[in-house]
Structure formats: structure tokens, C-alpha cells
Amino acid sequence: MEYSQKKESAQNAPLTTGAPKNENKVLPGQSPNTEVAKLPFTPTSIDIVFTLVTFLCGYLYIRLVFLKDVGFGVLLFTGVFSATVLAYTYYSQKRVPRYTWWYFGYMIALAGCSFVLENSSGLSFYCKAALVVSAVYWVLAVTGTRRKGLDENLPMDLINGFFVLPFSGFGNLFGCWGVAAKRSKNKNAFYVLCGVIIAVPLLIWVVSLLIQADAAFNYIIDNFTSWINFNFAQQLVYLFLAVPVSCYFFGLFYNAVHHTTKMPSAPKQKETAAATVLFNTILVMFAIVYFIFFGVQVAVTAGLELAPAYTVSYAQYAREGFFQLCQVAAINFVLFFVTRWFCGIKSKSVRILLTIVGVQTLLLIGTAAAKMIIYINHHGFTLLRVLTSWFMATLFVCVVLFILGVWKQFNYLGISVATAALAFLVLCCSNVGGLATQGNIAMWKSGRL
């Protein structure tokens, strides 16, 4: 009796914890994907040191990526960012999975080939967006914060990486400094450092005003800073913008490494009669509209006058409705994914309707591609027309994979994302402007332009 009472009291005793440990152990009765409650903020000395490195990453992002176009600085930032993540993960006693080096290679290739070679000056915005997405996803993969892998959980992983982790730990950077002040034996030295950090941007502002107020002081400062090409006002803007960016980065790093934030729950596929009826209704309505649209196209092609006659050139015909067709195809792509995500494909009616809408989407992409070919034959190539053609070709392949995934079980989303990512990398590493110019010259020599 006494032994059983001691055993029961030992089981009910609270566990004592110090700094957060990330052993990623699965408790009895807990699945590997069970959400973990948020732990108290108890940073270690390693976390405090990496706040300074993260501030450097924030400064480099503002200085070399956000406010610049293309060049070697993007590769430099990517290298510093990657080294920071790897070092932080290593010193936090976490093992970097081998497969994540593929994501790392893609990120470096995207930053290096597309920006250092400067062949993608017209694609700089899209390249930066792709680089940011790949960098955040790589952080999730390295730290083991993803739900499973590159599959249907991708949207929730991106929401977690872009919003939940960074903003839930947005104040952790200053929180680490506060903990450092409490732990510091020589508190005066810490307050001196904080005073320097606060005073430097203010002094840069003050000096820039004094330069404008007095010509002699301006001459002295110019001679003193000419060898480093230092612009006070510009550096002030960089430092102020680097503060929120570094807070965002450190919130992402800290929560991803220590797993201290509760992840949002993914919607569960419910094969209920209500869900099936709901999505069947939506898909049927879309399919009917597309059947009517294609019926009108066939009737017009056959010579029936379904609208007032008007004269239009081939170029005008090709341009009319092209971008609208692309948008409709993209909407169908999202509808296809949402239906699978929320409803599933166990119902045969859902699979048939998804296949019908998928085939109609392919026909819409084919119609838009035909219009683009006509337009290019009359007006030649431009960067926008090449990008649009690439988008249609990539979307066509992804829709085909989605249709196959309805009837055969495989990681259709992972293959689609990998295909689109590799195709985009090839596009960025290609001299799109030069290829368009060569194509226009060839068309002009042949008399087609």
C-alpha cells in the first residue's frame, strides 16, 4: 500500500525544467505531428550571441536585397543568412538532415546564377520573391519544423514559416537583451553597450543635420569619410529598417529551432455527405459555365453569328481575353487544390468532377497559348510575353499532374512544386532579353515581322 502511494505521488509530481531542450521526443499517446504548447521564453547565451548576428542579417537584407536590384550582394546576403541558420542550428545541438542540402543548393543557385550573372534584371522582383520563399522553407526543413515534407502540408508550413513563427517571437531579440542584462555580472558594461546601440543612429541623424547647417563641418566630415564612401542619412535609413527585419528573422530562427510556438492546425479532410455535396455543387457550376464557353467558341468557329459582327485583326483577337483566360486557369488550379485539401477524393463523383474541370482548365490554357502564339507571330517577343508563355507551360504541367493524382496515389504537389521551381531557375539563369531579341531578329529576317 505504501509503495503504491509513493509511486502515484511520483507520477503526479511536476517536472522541473531549465532552458528549453529540443529533443523532439514523442510522448506516450502523442502522434509525431501533435502540436506542442508554447514554452516559457528562457534564452541561452547562444541565443543572445546570435541576436547580434541576426541584426547583421537584417542590415544586409535591407542594404543588399530589399533596396537593390541585382548583383553580388544578393549572393553575399544568402551566404551570411545560410551560415547563420546552420551555425544556430548546430550550436543548439540539432542535427541538420541530409536532404535539406538539396533545398540549400537550390537557394544558392537561385541567388548566384540569377543575380550574379545579372541575366534576370527584368525578373528581379520574381527572383527575390522566390528566394525569400525558398529561404524560409529551407529554415523550416533544417530545423525540422515542417509537418511532414513537401506535400499537401506545404500551405500550412508556409503560413507557419512566414507568419506564426516570426511574429509570435517578434520581441524575442529585445527579450534576449533584457535577459542578458539580468544575467550580466557587470551591468554597467551592458548598459554602455545599449547606450551605444541607441545613440549611434541618433548621432548619424544629428551629424547629417549639422553637415547641412555648416559648410566647414561638412568639409571636415567629407574628408574624413571620403575613403569609405559613407552616407550618414542613407545608413540611418538602413539601420532603422534593419531593426524590424532582424526581429522578424530572430523570431523565425528562435521558434523554429526551439519549437516553442504552437503551429496552426491543418484542415482535416472530412468525407462527409455535406462536404461532398458542397464541393460537387461548386464543381458542377464551374463545369457548366465552361461547357457553355467552349460551346460558344465552337459555334463562332463554325461561322454562327452569336454576336454583332465587327472587324478585328489577328493581333487584337489574340490580345483580347488572354490575361483573363490565364486568371481563370489559375482560379481553377486553386479550386482543384482546395477541393482535395478540404474534401478529399474518396468520392467517385468528386474525382470525376475534378477530372472534368481539370481537362477544361487544360483547354483554357491551350486557348490562351494559341492566342499568345498568334500575337507573337504578329508583334514579336517581349519579356512579358516570354514570362506569360513560361507560366502557361508550367501551369499546364502542374494541372496534368493534379489530374493524374486524382486517380493514382503519389505526391503530386511535391512533384509540381519541384517542376515549377526548376523551371523558374532555368528561366532566371537564361538570358531572356537576349533570347527575345534573337527571336525577333530571326522573325524580321524571315519577313514575319
Side-chain angles (χ1 to χ4, degrees):
M1 185 67 178
E2 182 180 357
Y3 172 75
S4 62
Q5 291 178 352
K6 290 182 179 180
K7 184 177 180 180
E8 183 178 358
S9 62
Q11 290 177 349
N12 296 330
L15 298 177
T16 57
T17 57
K21 297 181 180 180
N22 303 297
E23 300 176 356
N24 296 331
K25 293 183 178 180
V26 179
L27 300 178
Q30 180 184 30
S31 64
N33 296 325
T34 301
E35 299 167 353
V36 180
K38 187 172 182 178
L39 300 176
F41 180 67
T42 54
T44 63
S45 57
I46 297 297
D47 299 324
I48 297 172
V49 170
F50 271 92
T51 57
L52 302 177
V53 183
T54 306
F55 187 83
L56 174 63
C57 290
Y59 175 81
L60 291 178
Y61 177 79
I62 294 297
R63 177 69 175 83
L64 303 177
V65 180
F66 185 73
L67 298 178
K68 293 292 183 179
D69 191 6
V70 295
F72 184 79
V74 177
L75 181 60
L76 175 61
F77 162 76
T78 306
V80 174
F81 180 88
S82 304
T84 302
V85 173
L86 292 175
Y88 191 33
T89 304
Y90 173 78
Y91 282 108
S92 298
Q93 300 180 353
K94 294 181 68 69
R95 183 174 174 271
V96 178
R98 291 184 178 179
Y99 67 87
T100 59
W101 293 106
W102 291 101
Y103 300 119
F104 175 77
Y106 177 82
M107 185 173 59
I108 294 298
L110 183 63
C113 296
S114 61
F115 288 103
V116 176
L117 298 180
E118 299 190 7
N119 288 332
S120 57
S121 58
L123 302 173
S124 59
F125 173 79
Y126 305 101
C127 290
K128 289 179 182 179
L131 180 61
V132 170
V133 172
S134 60
V136 171
Y137 191 77
W138 175 71
V139 172
L140 299 179
V142 167
T143 57
T145 316
R146 297 186 304 172
R147 293 182 178 275
K148 289 183 180 179
L150 190 58
D151 54 13
E152 292 183 346
N153 293 288
L154 177 62
M156 296 306 301
D157 287 335
L158 293 179
I159 292 174
N160 187 38
F162 275 98
F163 301 102
V164 179
L165 295 180
F167 289 110
S168 62
F170 196 78
N172 286 355
L173 186 141
F174 295 106
C176 286
W177 292 352
V179 172
K182 295 179 180 179
R183 296 177 182 176
S184 177
K185 296 181 180 179
N186 188 356
K187 297 186 180 297
N188 290 333
F190 175 80
Y191 290 125
V192 169
L193 177 61
C194 291
V196 171
I197 295 175
I198 296 174
V200 166
L202 295 177
L203 284 177
I204 292 176
W205 187 15
V206 170
V207 171
S208 64
L209 295 175
L210 293 177
I211 287 175
Q212 301 175 13
D214 185 76
F217 186 74
N218 185 13
Y219 177 78
I220 294 175
I221 295 298
D222 284 343
N223 289 335
F224 180 73
T225 60
S226 59
W227 61 280
I228 59 175
N229 192 22
F230 190 81
N231 188 314
F232 283 101
Q234 191 178 55
Q235 296 301 321
L236 177 65
V237 173
Y238 292 159
L239 289 174
F240 274 122
L241 293 178
V243 172
V245 174
S246 58
C247 290
Y248 182 92
F249 283 162
F250 188 75
L252 172 63
F253 297 161
Y254 183 88
N255 288 334
V257 168
H258 296 295
H259 297 272
T260 58
T261 301
K262 185 177 181 180
M263 294 187 297
S265 57
K268 297 180 180 180
Q269 294 181 357
K270 296 182 179 181
E271 289 290 336
T272 61
T276 302
V277 171
L278 173 65
F279 284 97
N280 279 347
T281 303
I282 296 174
L283 294 173
V284 166
M285 294 177 65
F286 271 77
I288 291 175
V289 171
Y290 296 144
F291 277 128
I292 295 175
F293 174 80
F294 290 122
V296 171
Q297 299 297 309
V298 172
V300 172
T301 304
L304 297 178
E305 295 184 2
L306 302 180
Y310 63 97
T311 303
V312 62
S313 64
Y314 279 107
Q316 291 175 340
Y317 168 77
R319 186 173 180 83
E320 284 182 355
F322 167 76
F323 293 104
Q324 288 76 9
L325 290 176
C326 291
Q327 293 175 18
V328 170
I331 291 173
N332 289 349
F333 183 81
V334 175
L335 175 63
F336 198 99
F337 180 76
V338 170
T339 302
R340 288 204 53 165
W341 204 24
F342 285 91
C343 181
I345 55 174
K346 293 182 180 180
S347 174
K348 188 174 181 180
S349 61
V350 173
R351 285 185 291 171
I352 293 175
L353 288 173
L354 283 176
T355 304
I356 293 175
V357 174
V359 173
Q360 290 173 333
T361 304
L362 296 179
L363 293 176
L364 289 172
I365 296 174
T367 304
K371 286 177 172 285
M372 176 55 70
I373 292 174
I374 295 174
Y375 197 72
I376 290 176
N377 287 335
H378 283 77
H379 294 279
F381 294 94
T382 62
L383 178 62
L384 180 60
R385 294 165 195 166
V386 173
L387 289 179
T388 308
S389 302
W390 170 89
F391 171 76
M392 289 187 295
T394 305
L395 186 61
F396 188 92
V397 174
C398 293
V399 172
V400 170
L401 290 172
F402 273 40
I403 295 175
L404 295 177
V406 171
W407 300 99
K408 187 176 181 180
Q409 187 69 24
F410 68 98
N411 188 7
Y412 69 95
L413 184 60
I415 298 176
S416 300
V417 172
T419 302
L422 292 177
F424 183 75
L425 181 61
V426 172
L427 181 68
C428 291
C429 296
S430 304
N431 190 356
V432 179
L435 294 176
T437 302
Q438 293 177 6
N440 292 333
I441 292 175
M443 293 176 65
W444 177 76
K445 289 182 178 181
S446 63
R448 296 167 58 187
L449 284 181

